[in-house]
Amino acid sequence: MKILDANVAPLTNFEVLDFLRSKGASKDPSRVIAKVAMSEYKVYDYLVNTSANVQTREDIAEYLSGIKLHDLSEAEILNIVNIRPAAVVEIYPIIEECPDRFPDEEVTEIVELVEKTLPTVTINETAVENTEGDEETDTQAHENGNVSQEKTEGEEPMDTS
Amino acid sequence: MFYLSKIEHKLTLPPYLLTLPIREAILSELERLFLDKVIAKLGLCISVYDIISIKGGSVFPGDGAPTYLAVFNLIMFRPFTGDIITAKLIRSDANGLRLSLGFFDDIYIPKHHMPDPSHYVSTTSTSKTGTWYWDYGEESFAIGDSEEIKFAV
């Protein structure tokens, strides 16, 4: 086996999810029929519960044209698409040396761009929100991919770097 | 997190696959060889993205299987330092946390990498597992069972 190019291109979670879907992966229980292997299904299950589930190519293209105005590295741009930060505090672990490189207004601008272009995941209305200590658990998204205007409050990102 | 890698590999096609059209047969053999396996310097192979070229098809004497030289793209899972990933908690003990991504279970957060300050409480005096709490200001937030945790590699 010879590695011709270890790094042809980085892929967003959306692209991997799209590829698995085009292979035939889906949420429904009759999984034996599609030509998708068990290990691929595990990746599919993981990705379906992230915001990649409700993104579209147009959203990502829009986001990419907007983010060019800010000086972010490719890894940071990719991370933002995958994580979809909803608040300024979520940007800090993603962007290295954030306070040094960007003034606060620019960080807010980036968050607004994310809000505008990338859709959020809807929260199940029947979920019980645990508001003790301001922590909220991320609950199951609706399968029909409804794009809702509600903000999803993720839990405090644990920066264990 | 996910990358595309271009690989060239010489593979033999076992006779039971010879009834299939060649592309499908090669795809099936590549999946058997690479899927869900960790490759050095590349990461965990998630999927075969596409096949770029197939050459060869010669049969060596004494062998029932034709040999092909295939060039193809693989989707690899390869987190880099600084990558932020959301995972589920599967185990919490005195040494730290263990997280899972569904397809990949070997994620450990040792206790010196827990958010600072935090402390650990064992569930019973003899138990090996327990709960970690994050002390922020005056309150302690429990890192509870099967919650989603974002961590930086």
Side-chain angles (χ1 to χ4, degrees):
Chain A
M1 184 190 83
K2 196 161 82 167
I3 302 174
L4 295 177
D5 188 353
N7 205 348
V8 174
L11 297 175
T12 59
N13 288 359
F14 164 74
E15 287 173 306
V16 180
L17 188 60
D18 201 36
F19 169 73
L20 289 172
R21 277 208 191 112
S22 70
K23 270 189 103 170
S26 73
K27 257 196 164 176
D28 85 276
S30 58
R31 282 180 164 182
V32 201
I33 301 172
K35 281 193 198 155
V36 182
M38 264 328 292
S39 59
E40 289 173 328
Y41 253 117
K42 288 190 184 149
V43 183
Y44 177 78
D45 283 338
Y46 171 74
L47 289 174
V48 131
N49 289 329
T50 65
S51 59
N53 194 20
V54 288
Q55 287 171 353
T56 65
R57 250 175 230 283
E58 295 82 26
D59 292 335
I60 299 194
E62 230 187 286
Y63 160 79
L64 285 175
S65 56
I67 203 77
K68 281 203 184 88
L69 304 167
H70 307 278
D71 181 30
L72 291 176
S73 77
E74 202 181 298
E76 289 164 352
I77 299 180
L78 187 69
N79 260 341
I80 292 181
V81 182
N82 285 342
I83 297 168
R84 209 220 165 267
V88 175
V89 66
E90 293 188 42
I91 298 262
Y92 284 130
I94 302 178
I95 302 181
E96 259 179 66
E97 290 170 24
C98 194
D100 296 332
R101 283 161 63 187
F102 299 102
D104 280 341
E105 309 87 47
E106 210 174 331
V107 184
T108 344
E109 259 179 54
I110 297 175
V111 179
E112 277 170 20
L113 175 67
V114 172
E115 279 295 311
K116 201 168 58 131
T117 52
L118 303 174
T120 45
V121 173
T122 49
I123 306 180
N124 197 334
E125 270 95 34
T126 56
V128 174
E129 278 176 38
N130 176 14
T131 48
E132 253 183 320
D134 278 346
E135 264 188 30
E136 296 190 18
T137 38
D138 222 306
T139 48
Q140 186 64 31
H142 278 301
E143 165 63 11
N144 53 18
N146 266 337
V147 175
S148 139
Q149 294 303 314
E150 282 165 58
K151 281 203 190 141
T152 330
E153 285 175 275
E155 42 295 304
E156 310 271 351
M158 278 178 48
D159 199 333
T160 53
S161 51
Chain B
M1 222 188 345
F2 294 106
Y3 288 90
L4 214 54
S5 290
K6 195 152 122 179
I7 310 283
E8 180 190 78
H9 184 61
K10 196 179 267 182
L11 64 133
T12 56
L13 217 54
Y16 70 86
L17 288 175
L18 291 175
T19 51
L20 295 172
I22 183 149
R23 212 184 172 85
E24 273 182 49
I26 300 254
L27 186 66
S28 159
E29 184 63 10
L30 286 175
E31 287 189 341
R32 191 185 67 85
L33 284 170
F34 291 109
L35 222 59
D36 210 27
K37 303 220 167 48
V38 176
I39 304 176
K41 296 194 197 148
L42 291 179
L44 173 70
C45 175
I46 300 286
S47 198
V48 179
Y49 190 69
D50 62 8
I51 301 179
I52 299 173
S53 73
I54 304 173
K55 284 205 275 261
S58 47
V59 179
F60 289 107
D63 197 0
T67 310
Y68 291 94
L69 190 68
V71 179
F72 49 94
N73 279 326
L74 289 178
I75 302 182
M76 309 300 296
F77 170 67
R78 183 170 76 240
F80 52 90
T81 18
D83 208 354
I84 299 189
I85 305 178
T86 317
K88 287 208 168 58
L89 178 68
I90 42 177
R91 191 184 153 88
S92 163
D93 63 19
N95 291 329
L97 302 173
R98 182 170 178 184
L99 306 174
S100 156
L101 283 177
F103 55 95
F104 184 71
D105 282 345
D106 290 336
I107 302 175
Y108 296 95
I109 301 186
K111 54 177 183 242
H112 50 272
H113 279 139
M114 297 291 283
D116 187 33
S118 52
H119 66 276
Y120 173 75
V121 172
S122 192
T123 31
T124 66
S125 56
T126 51
S127 155
K128 287 210 182 111
T129 59
T131 324
W132 279 89
Y133 292 87
W134 178 40
D135 308 317
Y136 183 66
E138 313 233 315
E139 304 186 40
S140 281
F141 301 112
I143 298 169
D145 239 350
S146 67
E147 260 179 25
E148 288 200 354
I149 296 179
K150 284 194 178 113
F151 67 95
V153 174

